[in-house]
Amino acid sequence: SQQGEEDPQALSIQEGENATMNCSYKTSINNLQWYRQNSGRGLVHLILIRSNEREKHSGRLRVTLDTSKKSSSLLITASRAADTASYFCATLNTGNQFYFGTGTSLTVIP
Amino acid sequence: DSGVTQTPKHLITATGQRVTLRCSPRSGDLSVYWYQQSLDQGLQFLIQYYNGEERAKGNILERFSAQQFPDLHSELNLSSLELGDSALYFCASSVGTISYNEQFFGPGTRLTVL
């Protein structure tokens, strides 16, 4: 499978703590995106990082990309209960195929 | 609200039947994408259309087909339905093609095949 693998599968933290999720993929990519999904709802785009970028920030989100290791991480700082959701990485490979990872389920405890 | 609409919200049908899912992209978006989300397969990219033309194809079964109309809305047709086709089907849209743009997802259509 060319899907990305995310780690951990599930993460539970206290409000105010930082949450880190990792994504590994298998093929060369054009870009990598992170999405959030609240239970049973549509996905919401969080951030896109291109293959020639190494780090990107958006508000409380920080994404890194290491193409040599074929991995990315998403850091959510100062987490809030509203951040409780599943988080997916998605990769666009050089063959124009788009694959989602298996997702990390984040629970932020108030 | 992403601006992408999908109908119907829920669909319950029997094996062997055919259904059509409909998607209206955000105003101004030329690309439409279809995804299937199930517990065992996760999120699977099915197909992308850009301005009426098929642009990229993922894990779409031969029993499934899609099209994008001149008004840019799209339909996903699922035929000879099997129990395993039960899933959430999402449509997404973006301004350009898959390469550079974020996608905006609709709320999904939940298909149950009995």
Side-chain angles (χ1 to χ4, degrees):
Chain A
S1 167
Q2 296 188 44
Q3 279 185 321
E5 294 289 329
E6 295 183 58
D7 174 63
Q9 283 190 327
L11 179 61
S12 184
I13 59 174
Q14 293 287 337
E15 202 165 31
E17 293 181 339
N18 296 340
T20 299
M21 293 158 246
N22 302 297
C23 167
S24 60
Y25 56 91
K26 296 182 180 179
T27 62
S28 296
I29 61 170
N30 284 323
N31 67 49
L32 185 145
Q33 302 179 39
W34 285 90
Y35 287 83
R36 184 187 75 222
Q37 184 181 32
N38 289 84
S39 181
R41 314 261 323 249
L43 284 81
V44 175
H45 181 268
L46 296 177
I47 199 163
L48 181 154
I49 185 165
R50 304 193 199 291
S51 59
N52 61 353
E53 297 175 311
R54 291 296 168 258
E55 189 171 312
K56 210 159 183 183
H57 298 254
S58 176
R60 294 184 295 114
L61 306 179
R62 173 178 167 247
V63 167
T64 61
L65 178 64
D66 187 335
T67 52
S68 67
K69 294 181 180 176
K70 292 187 169 58
S71 68
S72 174
S73 68
L74 170 67
L75 168 68
I76 304 174
T77 60
S79 63
R80 305 166 182 168
D83 294 329
T84 294
S86 290
Y87 291 82
F88 295 88
C89 68
T91 54
L92 176 69
N93 67 21
T94 51
N96 237 22
Q97 293 286 308
F98 197 61
Y99 293 98
F100 277 90
T102 49
T104 292
S105 176
L106 172 67
T107 302
V108 181
I109 303 165
Chain B
D1 182 4
S2 67
V4 178
T5 60
Q6 289 187 249
T7 57
K9 194 168 182 177
H10 298 278
L11 200 47
I12 300 174
T13 188
T15 54
Q17 294 298 306
R18 172 190 170 94
V19 297
T20 298
L21 312 184
R22 184 188 167 104
C23 168
S24 293
R26 290 187 324 155
S27 176
D29 285 358
L30 298 178
S31 276
V32 169
Y33 313 80
W34 286 98
Y35 295 89
Q36 178 194 60
Q37 186 176 33
S38 62
L39 281 174
D40 54 344
Q41 295 288 327
L43 260 167
Q44 300 273 330
F45 167 63
L46 297 178
I47 198 164
Q48 179 210 353
Y49 280 83
Y50 177 77
N51 205 21
E53 301 283 330
E54 183 184 305
R55 183 59 66 99
K57 216 166 184 176
N59 299 320
I60 188 165
L61 300 172
E62 284 191 14
R63 300 184 286 110
F64 296 1
S65 66
Q67 55 184 324
Q68 186 179 28
F69 294 88
D71 67 352
L72 300 177
H73 90 270
S74 178
E75 293 181 355
L76 178 67
N77 300 295
L78 315 176
S79 61
S80 303
L81 285 168
E82 302 174 359
L83 295 177
D85 297 329
S86 294
L88 258 173
Y89 290 84
F90 289 106
C91 164
S93 73
S94 69
V95 171
T97 64
I98 206 169
S99 302
Y100 299 105
N101 302 115
E102 66 179 278
Q103 296 173 52
F104 295 86
F105 279 75
T109 292
R110 184 172 292 281
L111 173 65
T112 302
V113 182
L114 301 175

